[in-house]
Amino acid sequence: MGALRITATSSSPRSSSAPAIEPGQQASSVALPGPGKAGRQAIEHWLPWPQGASLRCCPTAGKFLEKLGICHELALIRRAFDGVSPSPDSNLLIKNLIFDNVPVRVYWPKTPVTGQRRGVLYFHGGAGLFGSIRGFERICYNIAQRSDSVVVCVGFRLAPEHPYPIQVRDCLTAAIHFLKHAEEYGVDSNHIVIFGDSSGGTYAAAVAQELVTRVDLPRLRAQILIYPFLQALDFNLPSYQQNHSCPVVSKKVALQFGFRILGKKVTGMDAIMKNAHVSEAMRVKYCKWISADLIPAEFKLRSFEPPVLAPFSEELHEMMKPVFETRFSPLLAEDAVIRQLPETFLLTCKYDIFRDDGLLYKKRLEDNGVPVTWYHSQEGVHGLFLLLGYPYLEDQSLRDYFKHIIHFLKTWAIWYDFSKSEIPPGVDQPLKLRFLHWLMIISSFLGKILENLSLCSEIHFVRYTQEGKKLGEDPKLIIQDLTFENIPVRLYQPRESEAQQKRRGVVFFHGGGWMFGSLNSYDHVCRHIAKESDSVLLSVGYSLAPEQKYPSQFEECLGASAHFMKNAESFGVDPARVIVSGDSVGGNFAASVCQALVSRSDLPPPLAQILIYPGLQAIDFNLPSYQQNRAVPILYREHVVGAALQYLNKDLSVLESVVQGCHVPIDIKQRFGKWINSEVIPSEFKVRGYKPHLTTSFLEDVYEVVKQALETTFSPLMAEEAVLCRLPKTCIVTCEYDVLRDDGILYKQRLEDSGVPVTWYHIENGFHGVINLFDGFLSFPSGKKGMDRIVTFLRGL
């Protein structure tokens, strides 16, 4: 499979730029690359005066302070390399951990997720001498947020205090630990990416090669290598010649760094720069992989001449032997290893001495059948990635480069999300459900892209795709858009009555997980119910989360219902024949509103309530149906909890604790255990994939965050007996392949125990949302049967 090549140039200018200075050099000695002005502009574009000054001043100041005995030169450079710590990110949960004695920092997105996330292992750059977790925090912030992945930044030990190969060993140790224990960090072990820039790219490539031989570990999903150093065999490739004096890393500085990493005294520098450390036998052996002849001609137009090599030096060869190990020079690995490597993203920069290392590795990977996505920056210099996250330093073209990396992660994120779903064999039309799920994933994926482009939020895009439009006139209905006390509603009135008396009225609350759904998206459902049951139907367009928080939606639903009941006769409705109904979260509102209405002395009580696969409690998210259907489209367990937290306006970092039940005090568990408990669920619903959930410890801080979820206006299943016994006759619809199935079953039992007549229809091959799909191209027979049962119940009232 050939590489996808993407090249980029930027036309956005920088103002008042000055030439960048190589560490340790005077301004007058800087040699800028390229044919004069073009090369100079490219370097100044990325390294204007502040960065150039810091590159020059830090080494000079470091040497001066070292001579004064104040601090070591490296200490000052490392401190400058760390930059300024970013402000804490409220969208991420961040923890410092230890992976088998290797310090790491883990970044978890707080957004809700289905099952487990992708994992990214990040190895920072800095030549093995500089860099730290803190210095690369902005990059990790961006990766975690924009790719919705768990990111692990590895704080490997630095040279010269810890010479090579300590850095690679630490990275390998952290990688092995993460692969072995991925699930403990909410990560799918089969979807882990290894990611590194500069020397971190070297370590990423080396670790990826080491891991292909480990049959005891999951395979890496991909590797991302950002301008990596990959070989120490040939320091006269075209990019080394063309960019020999380029900031940030010149040819001479790179070799000096190499000596420090190896713990060697700098000697024979000029000869090594002419490859004197490489024997003739090695040159012959590796020329098929490392040679200027393998570099495409377009990269040799600028200042390249075939090199004159120095005579071979046995002494230098012995001294430099470690650099021929594949841990130091991954480009030297055998084909048997290369062909086992995962899909790869490579970024190279025109003005970088390591450019050709990336080009040669790209060729080797492609020759061995490894898929490669290659991005080449026509203006980039080594180290440009470090500017990411600094608003005053990063450039639009840099943001574009990063978006290609995120796009690479997300191109297989679609397949990842799709593969996580479970379609049970007994579900109605499984292939059609797969297709429906695919459309939903695509919608969410496109929304994320548009959000990254700052065009619109993901939530608004998904709402747009679901919105549809109000259908045209219906010859059997009079349809009006009205406002009840500032709440938008849509009224459906049959044109001809089957009887002379006033009609029954149906108040309907749409579903959508508190964040989605609208009058238009449920227009076809409401038309059908109104026509087929010969009822006046009121659809309530309550406001959505996260813009409006709990209990706004409940209050709006209650307010619209009360207004309708008070003015029922003006709409041709018998006030004593009003039914409250809703599906999914709309079923939650219907149950809560009905409980509130039976306590109102100023209104007649509802005639009945219809609850279509409702969510009714937030005590136990490990009931059999939550376990069995946790990844069955179109509603996952984590989506339920995540949406609930957004409705409550609470921090998503407590999501996993809530899923495990850590938010429920012991006294509440004991009080409601007789009603909300897996033991109460009939045994026939526990045959498929259910295991009793182990009791978890109560966490006071989590309870304080989410305690509103245990109020009856959020969890109507927790209502007192005195309220339940006053409720009207009830129709409950549940689906076998729905996480909310057991909420409906438990409410049915509570109502029956309280003497309330209940009509229960269980769709044995149904899934959450199937009633909406009763007609049209994506219709399901089980949805049509469920809709017919609802209409039959209404007509019998």
Side-chain angles (χ1 to χ4, degrees), residues 172 175-176 179 194 206-215 217 220:
L172 180 61
I176 291 172
L179 286 163
I194 201 164
V207 168
Q209 291 179 8
E210 295 260 359
L211 291 175
V212 299
T213 63
R214 294 291 298 265
V215 295
L217 296 172
L220 290 174

Side-chain angles (χ1 to χ4, degrees), residues 17 242 266 314-315 425 551 554 629 666 683 725 761:
S17 297
Q242 296 161 345
V266 178
E314 185 69 39
E315 180 183 356
F554 162 73
N629 306 312
I666 299 298
S683 58
C725 67
Y761 178 55

Side-chain angles (χ1 to χ4, degrees), residues 22 38 55 154 166 188 233 236 308 471 483 495 567 579 765 791:
E22 180 186 330
L55 286 171
V154 179
I166 292 297
D188 185 339
L233 197 80
N236 286 279
V308 177
L471 301 176
T483 300
R495 291 182 184 273
N567 300 278
I579 300 96
N765 60 347
V791 170

Side-chain angles (χ1 to χ4, degrees), residues 34 43 50 97 101 104 131 142 219 246 315 388 397 417 470 503 520 614 625 651 674 680 742 746 753 770:
I43 296 298
L97 303 174
N101 297 319
V104 300
N142 277 277
R219 288 180 57 82
C246 271
E315 180 183 356
L388 190 70
S397 50
D417 289 339
K470 181 181 178 181
R503 288 185 172 90
N520 283 347
S625 62
D651 194 332
K674 57 183 177 180
V680 185
D742 293 348
L746 292 174
D753 291 345
V770 73

Side-chain angles (χ1 to χ4, degrees), residues 74 89 152 156 237 261 264 335 356 364 381 455 507 559 588 600 621 669 682 715 722 737 740 742 755:
L74 281 179
D89 195 312
V152 176
F156 53 84
L237 292 171
I261 294 166
K264 305 285 186 180
D335 284 342
D356 293 349
R364 284 214 65 197
V381 297
L455 296 178
V507 180
N588 172 282
R600 294 272 297 259
F621 295 105
K669 285 184 179 180
S715 296
Y737 303 107
L740 302 180
D742 293 348

Side-chain angles (χ1 to χ4, degrees), residues 728-742:
K729 62 181 68 176
T730 301
C731 173
I732 296 178
V733 178
T734 57
C735 293
E736 176 63 26
Y737 303 107
D738 178 11
V739 292
L740 302 180
R741 179 198 69 199
D742 293 348

